[in-house]
Amino acid sequence: MISLCALVLAASPIGSPVGKALTEPLKLGITQAKVGEWATFRIDGGPDRVHFWKLAVVGEETDKKGRPACWLELAMGQHPAMKAPLMHLKLLVARAVGLSGDGVTRAIIAVGTEKPNELSDDAAARLLTDESGPTAPPKGSLPVELKSYTGAPSRLVTLAGTVTATPVELRLRSSVVKRVWVSDAIPLLKVAKMEIPGIGQTIEVRDFGINAQPQMRMP
């Protein structure tokens, strides 16, 4: 069963461009996260391609390496309230390291209605480790240079309400690779909205709060 869970996880949205876009801010953003903080995001990839992610900090303890750590729950499903989630993860994340291969020391996964299973230490370490390595540019090509542009803070209307947010664009020459509205009002990720034009994806906060409770049983 654990092998099956690992295979499903490898093919899950967590490794997709959208998954990486959502988990990237948590690599260091988890440092100051408070227990109880949560946020739900709506992922819109076009007709019949809408789903939801919910992230919540539901506890804290010292990990096996002696580091202050917190329990992060991540659920993915087709309903914003996470009724019958397609996948549920519970990760023990070192606060000083964040959501990365070295930062995660315990990983528990449940797929559909299956019982939660804990991954081995090796599998937990590989969970968020990119083993592909950097891709070398074609011989003779110019180096790719991404530039960021930050706009002025303004009021942004989201599914979760109106917040003050700062637009940040990541550009490759004249093309926008990613556009993010950053807001301190949003727990955990500080992301109110994100657009990834290259794959036609929009990520927008739907709900958030500070009263999260554990939803996943320990195996």
Side-chain angles (χ1 to χ4, degrees):
M1 175 57 68
I2 292 179
S3 296
L4 175 60
C5 290
L7 287 172
V8 172
L9 183 60
S12 76
I14 197 171
S16 68
V18 171
K20 292 177 180 178
L22 274 174
T23 57
E24 183 71 24
L26 280 174
K27 286 186 176 181
L28 293 178
I30 205 74
T31 303
Q32 302 297 327
K34 296 179 175 62
V35 175
E37 290 186 341
W38 64 274
T40 301
F41 296 87
R42 183 181 187 269
I43 319 299
D44 189 346
D48 302 321
R49 294 174 57 199
V50 173
H51 61 283
F52 299 88
W53 284 49
K54 181 178 180 180
L55 300 99
V57 176
V58 297
E60 56 187 351
E61 63 182 70
T62 301
D63 69 11
K64 63 182 65 179
K65 297 182 180 180
R67 304 174 297 187
C70 62
W71 281 106
L72 174 71
E73 288 192 355
L74 191 160
M76 291 164 272
Q78 296 176 318
H79 191 282
M82 291 302 148
K83 296 179 179 179
L86 302 175
M87 184 176 295
H88 208 153
L89 288 171
K90 190 166 188 170
L91 309 173
L92 185 61
V93 186
R95 286 188 177 274
V97 182
L99 199 64
S100 64
D102 181 55
V104 174
T105 51
R106 294 185 67 186
I108 299 161
I109 180 172
V111 180
T113 58
E114 298 290 344
K115 294 181 179 180
N117 285 277
E118 183 159 4
L119 300 179
S120 67
D121 290 349
D122 288 343
R126 294 196 305 268
L127 188 62
L128 291 159
T129 300
D130 186 357
E131 299 178 346
S132 60
T135 302
K139 188 176 181 179
S141 64
L142 295 174
V144 174
E145 184 177 358
L146 295 173
K147 295 183 178 180
S148 64
Y149 298 82
T150 302
S154 61
R155 300 294 284 171
L156 176 70
V157 178
T158 73
L159 295 171
T162 302
V163 298
T164 299
T166 300
V168 179
E169 289 187 353
L170 187 65
R171 299 181 188 173
L172 176 60
R173 300 184 181 91
S174 61
S175 299
V176 176
V177 176
K178 183 166 60 177
R179 183 182 292 113
V180 185
W181 285 264
V182 180
S183 174
D184 287 335
I186 311 302
L188 298 180
L189 299 186
K190 307 301 182 185
V191 173
K193 188 175 181 180
M194 183 186 302
E195 294 176 347
I196 310 176
I199 58 174
Q201 295 274 4
T202 300
I203 303 169
E204 184 174 348
V205 66
R206 189 188 186 279
D207 301 289
F208 60 88
I210 56 172
N211 58 347
Q213 299 294 323
Q215 299 297 312
M216 190 174 183
R217 294 184 296 106
M218 299 293 283

